[in-house]
Structures are given as structure tokens and as C-alpha cells.
Amino acid sequence: MSADITTITRAEEATPAEDFAKAGPPPGMRRRRVRAATLLTPLGSLGAAIGAWYAVSYLLLSPARRFLVPPPQQVLTVSFLDRTHLEPMLQALWLTAQVALVGLLIASVLGVTVAVLMSRARWLERSLYPYAVILQTVPILAIVPLIGLWFGFGFTSRVIVCVLIALFPMIANTLFGIQSVDRAHHDLFTLQRANRWDRLRKLELPAALPSVFTGLRTSSGLSVIGAIVGDMFFKQGEPGIGTLLDVYRSRLQSEDLFAAIILASFFGVAVFALFTLVARLAVGSWHASADRP
């Protein structure tokens, strides 16, 4: 009997190590682990990509064909560390950034406005939404020559291409967010005799903010793509990064071509990260997406 009591007592007395194992690491340690994983995972994938790049350059290509995929250190020394090569690319990227941001601004304002109008009346949604879908499905390269004929081959046409590419995600996500408001919240506003303007301003638009910013992040990347496509086709005025990509491709300047692609990619990632941060600040902690690390 005494042996049984001793066994039970030992089972009830947990050591500090056992308590730690059951409770798990403290919140501060968990946060540090999450941050470390968030940092190390992209670095690991970047290292794998660079390793694959080296493998293609040195293992799959002969020295005579290595110009097709120059190794990373050659791109670094020839294009990024040489000001005569880097400065034209930075100037072109700045012009492309202006086109992309202006196009994104117009697409955002226009998309939210159209979505709000469609949410006010079912007949407006049935009338306008098919044309928004057509904008998304029509091959943009097929209508680029028409845009050049109608609006010229300069800055305006590049912005129009950005708007056409970036508009649909703003319309679709904003409309989805407005239409997804909880019915109980609508009933509460009905009990308070709120008019349509108060319902839109105080309920529907705030509730739709996560969806709006999802569309904004998507449209930001599409706007960068549209600016680069516009650069390639509309070459009047100062050259954008897309213009330089086309020039480097035709001249077989592989190092500069890779460097321009990397710069354009980093710009797209920076724009996406910027609007992700803006979304976190605007939405705050009340939405479930704020809980993600």
C-alpha cells in the first residue's frame, strides 16, 4: 500500500523540466523562433536559387555558351558594380516606377468606385461586371498596338496598359468584401435606421478593407508588369526598364539583361511588401490576417 502511495506522489510531483516540456517554450522564445524561421526560410531559398544558377552556368553550359546564363559574380561585377551600366538601369527603373504607381493609383480609385456602384444596385453589377471580366481575359499584347494608335506611344499609353492589367483585382476583391458583410451587422444598422451612405461608410467599406488590400497587393504586382510591357512597346521619350530589357536582349548583353531583370523583380517585391505593411497598419489587429507572423 505504501509503495502505491509513493508511486502516486512521484507522479504528481513534476520536475521543472517536465513542466517546461508540457507547457512548451515561453512566448518570447516562440516569437524569436518564428522570426528566425521567417528570416532563414527566404535566405535558404535564395541560397538554393543561387546554387542552381551556378550549376546551370558551370555544369550545363559549355564556356562557349556560358553567355546565355552568366554566373552571378559576373553579373555583379559587370552590371551592378560598374556605374556606366548601373546608372542607366536605375534611371529607367525610376521611370517605370512612376508609370506603375500612377497606373496603380488610377486602377485603385477606379476599381473601388466601380465596385461600390455595383454593390448599390444589382442591375449595375449585371451590366458592368462582364466588361470587367473581359478586361481580365483579353490578351493585353493584342490591344497594345491599338492603344498606341489611339493615345500615342508615350507616358499616357504606358499608364493605360497598367490600368487595364491592374483594374480587375481591385473591382473583384472590393465587391467581394462589400458583399461579404455579416447579415447581423446589416440588421443592426437597419434597427438604427441608418441610411445607405452611413451603412456604406461605417459598415461596408471598413469591413471590406482586408479584401480591398488583398486586391491592392495583387494589382501592385500586375501594375509593375504592365509598366514593363508598356516600356517594351511604347518607346517614345525616356526609356523604361522594359525598354532596356528589349535592348539588352537584342544586343546579347546577358549580364545587363540579368541585372535589369533582378532590379525589376526587386522593385515588384518592394511594392508588394509596402502595401502589405500598409494593409497591416490600416486593418490593425481586429482581422484574422493580423495574427499571421
Side-chain angles (χ1 to χ4, degrees):
M1 182 68 178
S2 59
D4 294 338
I5 295 175
T6 304
T7 304
I8 294 173
T9 304
R10 288 179 179 177
E12 291 178 349
E13 293 178 354
T15 63
E18 291 173 345
D19 290 339
F20 180 82
K22 291 179 180 179
M29 184 179 295
R30 286 199 297 268
R31 285 194 295 268
R32 287 193 294 271
R33 288 181 179 178
V34 170
R35 290 172 183 171
T38 304
L39 178 63
L40 293 178
T41 302
L43 291 178
S45 61
L46 177 62
I50 294 176
W53 187 353
Y54 272 112
V56 172
S57 297
Y58 286 106
L59 299 179
L60 298 183
L61 296 177
S62 63
R65 300 179 67 244
R66 194 163 294 157
F67 71 94
L68 296 174
V69 185
Q73 80 276 2
Q74 192 170 331
V75 174
L76 179 65
T77 55
V78 172
S79 299
F80 286 113
L81 298 182
D82 189 344
R83 292 184 59 183
T84 59
H85 290 252
L86 182 61
E87 287 183 356
M89 285 188 282
L90 293 178
Q91 293 173 0
L93 183 63
W94 170 240
L95 177 64
T96 301
Q98 295 178 58
V99 173
L101 293 178
V102 171
L104 179 61
L105 176 63
I106 296 174
S108 301
V109 174
L110 187 60
V112 172
T113 303
V114 171
V116 169
L117 291 176
M118 288 193 295
S119 69
R120 298 301 89 191
R122 180 67 67 178
W123 67 271
L124 274 176
E125 181 181 352
R126 289 195 295 264
S127 302
L128 298 178
Y129 201 81
Y131 295 101
V133 175
I134 290 174
L135 284 179
Q136 180 70 10
T137 57
V138 67
I140 192 66
L141 295 180
I143 64 174
V144 162
L146 292 177
I147 296 174
L149 291 175
W150 294 340
F151 301 100
F153 296 88
F155 187 88
T156 302
S157 294
R158 302 182 193 185
V159 171
I160 291 174
V161 172
C162 291
V163 173
L164 292 178
I165 292 179
L167 182 60
F168 180 76
M170 290 302 305
I171 295 176
N173 283 278
T174 304
L175 184 62
F176 172 78
I178 292 176
Q179 293 178 341
S180 299
V181 179
D182 195 326
R183 177 53 57 184
H185 296 165
H186 277 292
D187 293 339
L188 179 61
F189 271 69
T190 301
L191 290 174
Q192 297 296 325
R193 301 182 183 276
N195 56 41
R196 301 185 70 180
W197 167 247
D198 287 336
R199 189 185 299 264
L200 174 67
R201 182 170 58 91
K202 297 180 180 180
L203 173 63
E204 293 174 335
L205 286 181
L209 272 181
S211 296
V212 172
F213 278 105
T214 298
L216 189 59
R217 290 197 298 269
T218 305
S219 295
S220 64
L222 293 176
S223 182
V224 174
I225 296 174
I228 293 174
V229 170
D231 289 339
M232 289 182 173
F233 282 88
F234 307 127
K235 300 180 180 179
Q236 289 185 1
E238 296 182 14
I241 196 69
T243 307
L244 293 187
L245 286 171
D246 198 31
V247 171
Y248 296 151
R249 176 194 57 80
S250 62
R251 296 178 181 176
L252 295 180
Q253 296 177 239
S254 300
E255 293 85 2
D256 291 337
L257 179 61
F258 272 75
I261 292 173
I262 292 171
L263 284 176
S265 301
F266 279 161
F267 172 67
V269 171
V271 172
F272 183 88
L274 173 64
F275 284 107
T276 299
L277 176 61
V278 173
R280 288 183 180 274
L281 295 176
V283 173
S285 59
W286 59 267
H287 193 258
S289 62
D291 295 333
R292 297 185 54 131

